Amino acid sequence: MSTTASGSGDDRFDPSLSAIMSERRQLINVAYRLLGSLADAEDVVQETYARWYAMSRQQQEAIESPGAWLTTVAGRICLDLLGSARARREKYVGEWIPEPLPDRTEWISGRPGGTMADPADRVTLDESVSMAFLVVLEAMTPAERVAFVLHDVFRYSFAEVADIVGRSPAACRQLASSARRRLRASQTPAIPPARQAGLVRDFKMAWEAKDIDALIGLLAPDATAIADGGGLVDAMLLPVKGGEQIARYLVDIAARATDLTILERTVNGRPGLVAQQDGVTVLVMAFDVAADRITHLWAVRNPDKLRPWTTG
């Protein structure tokens, strides 16, 4: 790595610092897709930089590509976390859903005072962060997930992936291929965003009106609803299956929580809903749609996962 030190030890005059810190956005994007948690992704990036700055200047200068080094370290930390996450989630109360992300224009950090976060530090909202996509990633083995995300989403070579996963490039190719099969088996034909937004809007109106028949008409007969309260707030512990059953459950919620304000928002890059009480976000809802019906509904109520939605 080429660097021009000031000789004073003051990194403000070290041009290499901006190059190193410019990798932060890429690392956050990689780690969130690998872990499904913004909080965990931020911890991974912090640990990655801590390991970089724990090295001597001579060790840093010996690294030909600091960006590749940072990605490799972050990827290995994520791989370790994914292995331990399976054990942790066996003890998780109820269903575990990936942490939902707001549109960058609404992104507010969890820091005191609700300071607006720098969008450059945040996750790019594309198809690879849709809730449906992340849920499929959750079903993969840690090695499959890392190989697939790094190669297919971020276009790292299998040789680079192999260095992170600790397997041969050929083995990583097989891992990514297996992951692709899982994804294809779960995918539904895409519908235009405007059409999905219209369905979500109709769903919101029917929910507010407590109109069971309208809700049933918007939900697929075999639809599935999953809620994540993390044991911290009330939420159904098991998925609710069937359009009619989901509709009745939602109307029951609306009847009991009369002070809810339901808003249309972008959730993980797709049309979704947010419910607030006294200006505080208490629920974020993501949807998957096929053939003009809602097939999956994910409702996140765990307050630890609603940090990015804090209103200050």
Side-chain angles (χ1 to χ4, degrees):
M1 181 179 80
S2 174
T3 181
T4 303
S6 65
S8 66
D10 190 341
D11 282 339
R12 288 178 299 174
F13 301 103
D14 184 353
S16 67
L17 178 62
S18 61
I20 290 297
M21 296 311 295
S22 69
E23 297 292 332
R24 176 178 166 78
R25 181 178 179 181
Q26 173 81 345
L27 296 175
I28 285 283
N29 272 276
V30 169
Y32 174 74
R33 287 164 176 80
L34 290 179
L35 301 174
S37 164
L38 180 62
D40 287 348
E42 290 173 335
D43 288 344
V44 165
V45 173
Q46 183 175 348
E47 173 63 19
T48 300
Y49 278 112
R51 294 186 187 185
W52 171 265
Y53 286 110
M55 294 190 295
S56 67
R57 178 60 62 91
Q58 290 73 25
Q59 289 173 315
Q60 293 172 357
E61 290 174 347
I63 295 173
E64 183 177 348
S65 173
W69 185 94
L70 291 166
T71 300
T72 297
V73 171
R76 288 173 180 169
I77 297 172
C78 286
L79 189 59
D80 290 342
L81 285 175
L82 284 170
S84 62
R86 288 176 175 268
R88 292 199 312 271
R89 287 172 195 169
E90 287 177 0
K91 301 176 183 178
Y92 194 82
V93 178
E95 299 288 323
W96 191 94
I97 298 175
E99 187 176 327
L101 299 179
D103 185 78
R104 68 174 62 251
T105 59
E106 300 168 7
W107 217 319
I108 301 176
S109 77
R111 293 190 294 272
T115 308
M116 289 300 296
D118 180 357
D121 283 346
R122 296 308 184 185
V123 179
T124 303
L125 300 176
D126 59 21
E127 187 62 28
S128 66
V129 294
S130 72
M131 192 61 75
F133 190 92
L134 291 176
V135 167
V136 177
L137 292 183
E138 282 295 315
M140 298 178 184
T141 67
E144 279 179 337
R145 187 166 182 170
V146 172
F148 173 77
V149 168
L150 289 178
H151 180 267
D152 284 45
V153 177
F154 291 97
R155 302 303 177 189
Y156 287 93
S157 70
F158 282 119
E160 293 170 306
V161 175
D163 190 37
I164 294 171
V165 178
R167 305 193 189 188
S168 69
C172 291
R173 189 183 300 274
Q174 289 299 316
L175 287 169
S177 177
S178 173
R180 273 183 229 114
R181 286 195 296 272
R182 289 179 185 261
L183 193 63
R184 281 196 298 269
S186 67
Q187 280 182 323
T188 55
I191 69 166
R195 178 57 187 147
Q196 177 160 337
L199 282 171
V200 171
R201 185 173 300 116
D202 291 343
F203 179 93
K204 170 183 177 290
M205 294 172 62
W207 190 14
E208 289 174 326
K210 305 180 186 64
D211 189 335
I212 287 181
D213 290 337
L215 286 169
I216 292 173
L218 293 166
L219 291 157
D222 59 349
T224 300
I226 299 175
D228 178 346
L232 301 175
V233 295
D234 289 336
M236 55 190 179
L237 296 179
L238 296 173
V240 176
K241 298 185 177 181
E244 182 175 348
Q245 289 82 353
I246 295 171
R248 294 188 182 282
Y249 181 83
L250 289 168
V251 168
D252 182 58
I253 291 175
R256 288 185 284 113
T258 55
D259 57 342
L260 277 183
T261 300
I262 304 172
L263 307 168
E264 295 175 49
R265 291 289 185 266
T266 297
V267 180
N268 286 63
R270 296 277 192 87
L273 296 176
V274 167
Q276 295 183 342
Q277 286 180 315
D278 299 323
V280 176
T281 297
V282 295
L283 177 146
V284 173
M285 195 174 286
F287 300 85
D288 198 21
V289 174
D292 283 344
R293 293 285 188 93
I294 294 167
T295 56
H296 292 87
L297 187 159
W298 296 280
V300 179
R301 294 211 59 217
N302 184 341
D304 291 342
K305 295 184 177 183
L306 300 180
R307 289 183 314 120
W309 303 82
T310 303
T311 55

